[in-house]
Amino acid sequence: MRRIKRSDRLGAMMQTLMAHPNRIHNFSEFCDMFQAAKSTISEDVDILKASVGQFGYGEIETLTGASGGVRYRASISPDAAANELKKLATALSKPERLLPGGFLYTSDITSNPEVASLLGRMLAQMFYATNPDFVLTMETKGIPIATMTAHMLGVPLVIARRDTRAYEGSAVKINYIAGGSGEKLETMALARRAVKPGQKAVIIDDFMKGGGTLKGMAEMMSEFQAEVVGVGVMIATKEPVVKRISGAKTLMTLVKADPSTGETVIEPTDDLTNQGEVN
Amino acid sequence: MRRIKRSDRLGAMMQTLMAHPNRIHNFSEFCDMFQAAKSTISEDVDILKASVGQFGYGEIETLTGASGGVRYRASISPDAAANELKKLATALSKPERLLPGGFLYTSDITSNPEVASLLGRMLAQMFYATNPDFVLTMETKGIPIATMTAHMLGVPLVIARRDTRAYEGSAVKINYIAGGSGEKLETMALARRAVKPGQKAVIIDDFMKGGGTLKGMAEMMSEFQAEVVGVGVMIATKEPVVKRISGAKTLMTLVKADPSTGETVIEPTDDLTNQGEVN
């Protein structure tokens, strides 16, 4: 059998780490994979750590102790994030996106895996410290971004529905106040088996105007005795300033959308790390 | 400046390739990134190729010519795929998943990014050769799997809705026959700007009984003068044998679901590569 060289291991090791973001891999997994000693694997990990730290947009971390090992976490530098959000804000501000009623067409952007993956990376980075058990979103438009956020956080995704479905089994159904200006009452349903008491949720959605849907999701979590440890949205409108939920971390702000002129102004959030606490 | 060694480059290069599956990276991108000659980068790529080929579950390919470069493609060996599908089929066959009416609770599995990513890998592998422009699914349950399939294929995701929405702009709305046994008429809507004439679509969904929803999506593509080049589903029921759409590639088959006994039998598809042509 040919001796396995370091350069033979690095690519495959990096692939395994990246395929399961935020999951801790025990060193013995790699010892078995490559028939190598722990000290050898440990050196490999240090090399990958330096490489990704220097040139990449993720982080490789080693954890000591009984549950120790190595994990890959997606991340992005503040400069790179600001740059990417600026490009996205420009793309979203195009006049042809403004629809009758002042609605903004964003579906092509929110469902693009390239964008969802980038935003999932930013959102995951905001919420690593909260150590959530799952990501919650409500159908439909936010699902790709929430999927990628959950993927990066290494946790399951839970999807609330507008109504109960036979294939979701028994469900909790609540009413919530939707819409930024009006007082429209909407329903939201979630399978009873989807969430366990005491679990921690990060809520992700693509758009926040009044914050009613996010507040509804937070209320749904109360029904399940689950704790909301973070709320993240792609775009929040500037108006109304007071939202039904506070402390949501937002990636971009919709400052202006004037249907009469077609003028849309979307601004990236300057400092992603410096935002309020969820309340 | 410290000289950049090969082992300093491999991890970061692998990360860049994997972050954008199925996208061709020109060698010059890496030459700039690492201040290295093309011949050096070319050797790096060969090393990664061998490493991933030997130990990984993906493939690194070099393409020559004007639009040449290097790309990472997610893949999985037939043995590994069969093994993973068997585990999944076992998890899905648990009696407690069978709901009143013979429905199967799968939402926790379909929305788990770990599973969605695995199935997306298998589905992408089935459809690389069709070279699609986008992946199409219909809300809601199949979206995470379709997101990951589109991610692995490196193409956008398009989501058909049950009805028109103000924020989707002008839409094409069709009727289609849903349900495996009944003849229930349902509606499906898709934003006019979501698809361009002549584009090629791969349709992905989580479940197929009669095939009505998939047929509806195929008819929607006709409305847009787009071509359906592939159809992939996670689970298809054995009965009815004749579906409204033919040639769908399926990962698992629901052989039996008996609400009176709670017995559910789900079998993984033996040979993922040997299935019919879409029609």
Side-chain angles (χ1 to χ4, degrees), chain B:
Chain B
M1 190 180 146
R2 191 172 75 91
R3 189 178 147 263
I4 301 170
K5 286 186 300 184
R6 167 145 296 145
S7 57
D8 296 330
R9 292 189 298 265
L10 294 178
M13 200 183 282
M14 189 67 203
Q15 184 185 228
T16 302
L17 290 170
M18 264 190 90
H20 310 284
N22 208 26
R23 187 209 276 178
I24 299 168
H25 298 256
N26 198 288
F27 279 98
S28 61
E29 180 184 335
F30 293 116
C31 295
D32 293 347
M33 191 170 171
F34 301 112
Q35 298 294 306
K38 200 182 157 188
S39 58
T40 308
I41 297 298
S42 179
E43 282 168 34
D44 291 348
V45 166
D46 286 343
I47 287 166
L48 286 181
K49 199 192 282 192
S51 176
V52 169
Q54 189 179 357
F55 298 105
Y57 32 86
E59 277 161 44
I60 290 177
E61 297 176 347
T62 40
L63 294 95
T64 51
S67 61
V70 51
R71 76 174 161 212
Y72 170 81
R73 274 186 167 177
S75 68
I76 185 164
S77 71
D79 281 358
N83 187 38
E84 295 288 351
L85 287 178
K86 199 177 163 191
K87 279 193 280 182
L88 214 51
T90 305
L92 285 164
S93 298
K94 288 191 179 154
E96 64 264 30
R97 291 194 169 272
L98 206 49
L99 300 168
F103 291 99
L104 193 67
Y105 182 72
T106 64
S107 297
D108 58 331
I109 303 248
T110 53
S111 73
N112 187 320
E114 185 92 2
V115 176
S117 167
L118 177 74
L119 301 185
R121 184 174 287 270
M122 295 179 193
L123 291 164
Q125 195 171 8
M126 288 173 165
F127 299 116
Y128 284 131
T130 66
N131 217 7
D133 294 299
F134 61 92
V135 166
L136 174 73
T137 193
M138 188 180 172
E139 62 181 344
T140 298
K141 223 147 53 74
I143 298 176
I145 294 168
T147 299
M148 286 300 186
T149 307
H151 175 60
M152 300 298 183
L153 286 168
V155 298
L157 171 67
V158 172
I159 302 171
R161 312 292 298 254
R162 270 182 286 280
D163 206 346
T164 53
R165 296 268 157 186
Y167 49 74
E168 297 269 1
S170 59
V172 175
K173 189 170 171 180
I174 63 167
N175 294 300
Y176 69 98
I177 301 164
S181 39
E183 294 279 300
K184 210 167 60 162
L185 209 61
E186 301 269 7
T187 62
M188 181 186 294
L190 185 59
R192 283 182 62 97
R193 57 181 94 191
V195 174
K196 288 182 189 66
Q199 285 193 311
K200 293 192 282 181
V202 161
I203 298 176
I204 298 290
D205 213 349
D206 62 308
F207 199 82
M208 167 169 75
K209 192 176 182 187
T213 307
L214 290 166
K215 183 71 178 170
M217 283 192 263
E219 283 169 4
M220 182 64 93
M221 289 299 95
S222 300
E223 293 284 341
F224 282 84
Q225 296 174 268
E227 185 192 353
V228 178
V229 293
V231 178
V233 296
M234 178 177 85
I235 305 176
T237 57
K238 194 175 178 184
E239 308 282 345
V241 175
V242 179
K243 311 292 190 191
R244 291 207 166 86
I245 195 162
S246 62
K249 295 182 195 290
T250 63
L251 300 178
M252 289 176 276
T253 304
L254 176 64
V255 179
K256 193 178 176 182
D258 186 342
S260 66
T261 62
E263 195 193 356
T264 308
V265 180
I266 295 175
E267 288 173 357
T269 304
D270 279 335
D271 186 355
L272 294 182
T273 55
N274 188 20
Q275 296 192 53
E277 291 302 304
V278 65
N279 192 358

